[in-house]
Amino acid sequence: MTNPFADHSRDYWVLCNAEGQYSLWPTSLEIPKGWQTAFGPESWQNCLDNVEKNWTDMRPLSLLGQRDCPVPYPFREYFALDMDPIYTSLQQWDEMLRISVPYGDDAWLASSYKHVKCVMHDTRFSRETTKYDEARLTPIPIRTSVLGMDPPDHKRLREALAAALTPRHVEQMKPWISNMTEQLIDDLVAQGPPADLVEQFALPFTGHITCELMGIPLEDRPQFKAWCDGFSSTSSLTQEEVEVRMQAMYAYITELVGRRRESPSDDIISKLLRPEDKRLELSEIELIDLATILLLAGYDSTGMELANAIFVLLTHPEQTQLMREQPKLMPQAVQELLRYIPIDAHVTFARYATEEVEVGNTLVRAGDAILASFPSANHDPALFEDPHTFNIMRPRKPNFGLGTGIHSCAGKLLAIVELEVALSVLIRRLPTLRLAIPAEEVPWQPGSLLRSTLKLPAEW
Ligand code: HEM
């Protein structure tokens, strides 16, 4: 009998253990305890190339990532919707890894479900970062409005927003969203395949809704993409270009707020300007910053999540068929998409400890930064069995796709309605929808804030 390790003509796994060490393993053998698959099954050579690319520091992880020995982060650029296998190790630790990031302070990396939940729910962690050189992956710290505040100001802004964007308002938008989606599909059908579902479906869809919500004329939508790239792109634009775009967006929103002050309408900015409860009146700068985050989140983040969701459906036809056959499954399918899609390229915005806090076995000192990975928490096998599999029938458990704690997504009801409606109409109207190029050739947006497909060529 030949030694299975000597037979390089068969398929192999790349395995990874809790110390971040890698091994090539023949698929014919049982996976040993303590090891997880990180890549494969693939040819021996492809597995070897993968190990050489990913395992650049031979020292065990437990010797690295201490306070005085931070590990450079991100570990590598993101690839499609893949999770970096190193998280599989980190999720098993009861300690956080110390990391150094491209800009600002060193930080602790929270990657297990337990640690991320602890950081997001403990009031001793603050989002008030102005007194620090914020630990971040983008050159310029982003003005995140409500997402950069602590209570009581945070509570006041959330209440103002909740009064302007009520569940009833979202419910009332549903028929309009459905009709608009049908119209977008009518246009696709009239034009005929192939089509780019990012440019011709996901972005027009979230663009229409953002314009409707904020009372922006539809003809202004083409400018959104350039502005949003200024916030989310870290590699394709120079710092000056980013600043020019951010300033253009602030100028536009300032002007829009001025217009709504003069002639109020039924949109969210007009409602924020004239709250029924006078306690919830916002300052000019609070209003402009809030409107900016609403435009970014409502148009760009939601458009990216929708494009990624369509990519997942097109690459998992058996799950999509199940959704088509049983439309009632759509709400749980959307929850699974929010869990499965790592919308953050790596981590979310930094939190700072206001006093000494223990997170697992890590002692976090006052003033230490934490960067939490929602994607890693959503792929933690301690909570989600077989976490890297997209399975709309998995038992329902709360995931962090829309965040958690006081800063959890303020537009979550609208976001969920948008995904449910867009995906339901798309798969019903175009039952033979498929990618027009191999999945590996789908291009991904460069940058380290959010991840998304750049183009989604499809046919039907
Ligand atoms: C599917 C699309 C969306 C996803 C995946 C998403 C995801 C998230 C996540 C993960 C957070 C928490 C960030 C953190 O704690 O660091 C967040 C916060 C936020 N989101 Fe969303 N979001 C989406 C759509 C929207 C929409 C449509 C709106 C509004 C129209 C919105 C408005 C906000 C705001 C204002 C915050 C900050 C909340 C706070 O700090 O209290 N989002 N979102």
Side-chain angles (χ1 to χ4, degrees):
M1 197 175 134
T2 49
N3 174 356
F5 288 92
D7 183 0
H8 292 175
S9 65
R10 304 246 178 126
D11 274 355
Y12 276 71
W13 293 110
V14 173
L15 301 185
C16 182
N17 70 12
E19 286 287 10
Q21 295 163 318
Y22 291 82
S23 174
L24 263 60
W25 200 260
T27 50
S28 54
L29 298 185
E30 200 179 318
I31 295 172
K33 212 163 171 266
W35 292 79
Q36 315 254 357
T37 54
F39 181 74
E42 273 287 347
S43 68
W44 180 84
Q45 188 57 50
N46 284 351
C47 287
L48 188 64
D49 291 347
N50 182 275
V51 171
E52 282 177 357
K53 191 167 140 239
N54 289 328
W55 196 15
T56 46
D57 194 327
M58 299 293 146
R59 288 174 295 174
L61 275 177
S62 53
L63 287 185
L64 300 169
Q66 310 289 335
R67 179 178 290 281
D68 50 357
C69 182
V71 176
Y73 186 86
F75 305 121
R76 60 201 120 236
E77 269 185 33
Y78 82 83
F79 174 72
L81 296 180
D82 291 357
M83 286 301 298
D84 195 312
I86 215 156
Y87 289 113
T88 309
S89 310
L90 298 178
Q91 287 153 354
Q92 298 172 42
W93 291 14
D94 208 13
E95 275 162 44
M96 293 189 289
L97 192 75
R98 187 75 173 162
I99 53 171
S100 59
V101 282
Y103 306 95
D105 303 328
D106 289 349
W108 296 106
L109 175 67
S111 30
S112 68
Y113 190 92
K114 193 172 105 181
H115 290 171
V116 171
K117 186 173 175 193
C118 164
V119 172
M120 293 298 148
H121 287 263
D122 191 321
T123 52
R124 291 170 295 175
F125 288 106
S126 157
R127 260 298 293 152
E128 171 48 78
T129 54
T130 47
K131 44 184 193 281
Y132 303 101
D133 184 7
E134 184 177 349
R136 62 191 191 276
L137 307 182
T138 54
I140 306 171
I142 296 175
R143 272 165 61 180
T144 46
S145 167
V146 64
L147 184 45
M149 288 177 178
D150 290 337
D153 282 338
H154 174 262
K155 188 161 180 279
R156 182 171 52 83
L157 254 78
R158 282 294 294 242
E159 280 177 23
L161 193 51
L165 182 62
T166 59
R168 192 154 156 255
H169 188 157
V170 173
E171 199 51 41
Q172 283 170 344
M173 281 183 85
K174 249 185 183 172
W176 177 85
I177 296 177
S178 288
N179 287 340
M180 183 268 290
T181 318
E182 299 279 355
Q183 182 62 54
L184 283 175
I185 304 281
D186 286 347
D187 294 348
L188 282 179
V189 170
Q191 177 225 278
D196 171 11
L197 296 181
V198 175
E199 274 307 315
Q200 294 174 258
F201 184 70
L203 290 180
F205 174 85
T206 57
H208 270 80
I209 295 173
T210 307
C211 287
E212 175 77 10
L213 194 69
M214 299 183 66
I216 297 176
L218 206 52
E219 56 273 19
D220 290 352
R221 189 178 71 80
Q223 305 174 58
F224 289 10
K225 189 68 196 142
W227 294 335
C228 294
D229 282 349
F231 281 83
S232 57
S233 182
T234 48
S235 50
S236 54
L237 299 175
T238 64
Q239 195 151 326
E240 287 73 38
E241 285 171 325
V242 169
E243 273 180 47
V244 167
R245 288 173 189 216
M246 283 160 91
Q247 288 316 324
M249 183 169 176
Y250 285 126
Y252 180 87
I253 297 212
T254 308
E255 203 261 329
L256 182 69
V257 168
R259 248 187 288 154
R260 287 290 160 266
R261 210 183 277 287
E262 292 301 310
S263 49
S265 173
D266 199 23
D267 57 87
I268 197 164
I269 297 184
S270 302
K271 287 183 185 155
L272 287 166
L273 275 164
R274 289 181 173 67
E276 280 176 18
D277 180 349
K278 292 288 167 227
R279 250 182 346 111
L280 302 180
E281 266 177 17
L282 305 182
S283 71
E284 183 81 359
I285 188 79
E286 283 175 337
L287 197 65
I288 291 167
D289 278 355
L290 189 56
T292 307
I293 194 178
L294 292 178
L295 194 152
L296 284 171
Y299 172 66
D300 204 34
S301 316
T302 313
M304 288 182 179
E305 182 80 2
L306 177 56
N308 293 341
I310 298 171
F311 174 80
V312 174
L313 298 199
L314 297 184
T315 48
H316 295 80
E318 67 308 329
Q319 295 280 307
T320 310
Q321 188 53 26
L322 205 55
M323 289 153 74
R324 208 175 270 121
E325 284 163 8
Q326 300 183 54
K328 273 204 221 132
L329 293 178
M330 189 49 87
Q332 71 193 61
V334 164
Q335 282 306 318
E336 173 65 351
L337 285 162
L338 288 166
R339 182 200 72 83
Y340 179 79
I341 296 169
I343 181 78
D344 286 325
H346 304 283
V347 281
T348 190
F349 297 99
R351 268 63 174 176
Y352 279 84
T354 53
E355 57 183 89
E356 204 171 270
V357 189
E358 272 179 34
V359 178
N361 289 333
T362 298
L363 183 69
V364 180
R365 293 186 197 147
D368 278 0
I370 312 244
L371 286 166
S373 171
F374 290 136
S376 175
N378 280 342
H379 287 252
D380 185 342
L383 213 80
F384 303 104
E385 199 185 320
D386 196 8
H388 304 307
T389 298
F390 174 63
N391 173 12
I392 63 171
M393 302 307 282
R394 73 168 59 245
R396 176 90 189 262
K397 290 182 186 157
N399 70 69
F400 300 157
L402 292 166
T404 184
I406 63 165
H407 289 287
S408 72
C409 183
K412 64 174 84 124
L413 288 184
L414 179 61
I416 289 171
V417 163
E418 288 188 44
L419 290 172
E420 287 182 8
V421 173
L423 297 174
S424 302
V425 176
L426 187 72
I427 63 173
R428 174 173 53 75
R429 291 282 309 273
L430 302 175
T432 57
L433 190 69
R434 58 195 176 273
L435 278 175
I437 56 171
E440 313 76 68
E441 288 172 23
V442 168
W444 292 82
Q445 157 157 302
S448 47
L449 208 55
L450 297 178
R451 60 172 105 186
S452 170
T453 53
L454 272 175
K455 274 189 189 351
L456 215 41
E459 54 195 14
W460 55 90

